Amino acid sequence: MFTAEGPTVRELAVQALSSTERGYDLLAPRFDHTPFRTPLPILDACEEALAQTLPGPVPAGLDLCCGTGAAIPLLRRLCRDRVTGVDFSEGMLRRAAEAQGPAGPPVVAFVRADVRDLPASLHGSYDLAVSFGAFGHFLPAERPGLFAQAYAALRPGGVFAFPIGAPPRPASPVWWAAAGFDAVMRVRNALWRPPFVMYYRTFPLGGVRTDLEAAGFSVRTQALEPFGRRPDGSPRWRLVLARRPD
């Protein structure tokens, strides 16, 4: 896709007709050469905001739906002792492990698991949890359970952080592209099994805040100023900071 190293149209079609897990296993070798990988400017802006928010390097960090590990370097700089990446795709985890540089500290480990049902061994173990570019793979009804698992993974006082973009203006080209993609995916999932869950318009800030607070978090957002503001003054991108109370 868009580069010689990216997946071909045929490969993307095979992925789209697979389950979500199998699709990412197939895409993993070429994923970092697609537009789906979290862009470095997003990661840099979130790291800068987190460095301002945290009291200093924290002991342990967790990347939920880590994919090929784009955010692991960020966590390695923000955490002292250990960093864990969790994903349900074996192929993506393999690529993430291959991409890591010299051994820690912090120690880096990868766990294959569904983030909607984290292993009990991860509960209460982390001071910072992050997630990038994965929430389109969860239906709105799954958000409460997902956030409950993030809450369970954190120690008291821990922070769950992720970026969220402002919704595109109605009828703008981006709005039509997202709406069209979601419509195609709904038709695909109605007619074909297993489903491939990926939607662009199922993670609005208002609903996300409500579900985070219902899970027990206190929630605030921080503008990611490198991406500027919309004409009404609202940020184009925010970092959601959900804290588990002490």
Side-chain angles (χ1 to χ4, degrees), residues 34-233:
T34 72
F36 307 129
R37 188 180 193 271
T38 303
L40 188 57
I42 290 281
L43 295 171
D44 288 344
C46 290
E47 181 176 352
E48 181 179 354
L50 284 168
Q52 296 169 1
T53 298
L54 299 172
V58 297
L62 176 66
D63 187 357
L64 297 171
C65 304
C66 67
T68 57
I72 297 297
L74 172 157
L75 286 176
R76 293 182 72 173
R77 290 187 289 268
L78 293 173
C79 302
R80 293 193 307 267
D81 300 331
R82 58 191 177 90
V83 168
T84 305
V86 177
D87 204 284
F88 72 169
S89 168
E90 184 176 355
M92 299 290 271
L93 288 173
R94 187 181 305 115
R95 294 292 295 179
E98 292 171 352
Q100 296 313 303
V107 175
V108 178
F110 294 97
V111 175
R112 186 184 181 195
D114 190 326
V115 297
R116 294 166 294 191
D117 185 21
L118 291 174
S121 59
L122 301 184
H123 288 183
S125 300
Y126 297 93
D127 308 277
L128 172 64
V130 299
S131 191
F132 293 90
F135 293 128
H137 297 302
F138 300 94
L139 299 173
E142 297 175 302
R143 282 201 310 258
L146 171 65
F147 293 162
Q149 289 295 297
Y151 187 95
L154 291 169
R155 297 184 176 112
V159 173
F160 177 35
F162 52 86
I164 190 167
R169 297 191 177 282
S172 67
V174 175
W175 186 93
W176 281 112
F181 181 92
D182 285 4
V184 169
M185 291 305 297
R186 292 185 187 281
V187 171
R188 179 258 186 241
N189 288 333
L191 300 176
W192 191 269
R193 291 292 184 273
F196 186 94
V197 178
M198 178 60 214
Y199 299 105
Y200 281 106
R201 302 195 306 148
T202 57
F203 204 74
L205 178 58
V208 167
R209 181 190 291 272
T210 297
D211 290 342
L212 285 167
E213 291 174 344
F217 288 105
S218 62
V219 183
R220 70 178 182 89
T221 65
Q222 182 171 334
L224 296 177
E225 295 294 358
F227 301 101
R229 293 179 176 264
R230 304 205 298 180
D232 63 2

Side-chain angles (χ1 to χ4, degrees), residues 1-59:
M1 175 180 281
F2 308 137
T3 70
E5 295 83 6
T8 64
V9 172
R10 180 182 180 279
E11 288 171 332
L12 285 174
V14 171
Q15 178 213 5
L17 294 175
S18 305
S19 68
T20 313
E21 178 181 344
R22 177 59 178 159
Y24 275 98
D25 284 343
L26 294 171
L27 185 60
R30 299 178 182 265
F31 181 81
D32 288 341
H33 300 287
T34 72
F36 307 129
R37 188 180 193 271
T38 303
L40 188 57
I42 290 281
L43 295 171
D44 288 344
C46 290
E47 181 176 352
E48 181 179 354
L50 284 168
Q52 296 169 1
T53 298
L54 299 172
V58 297

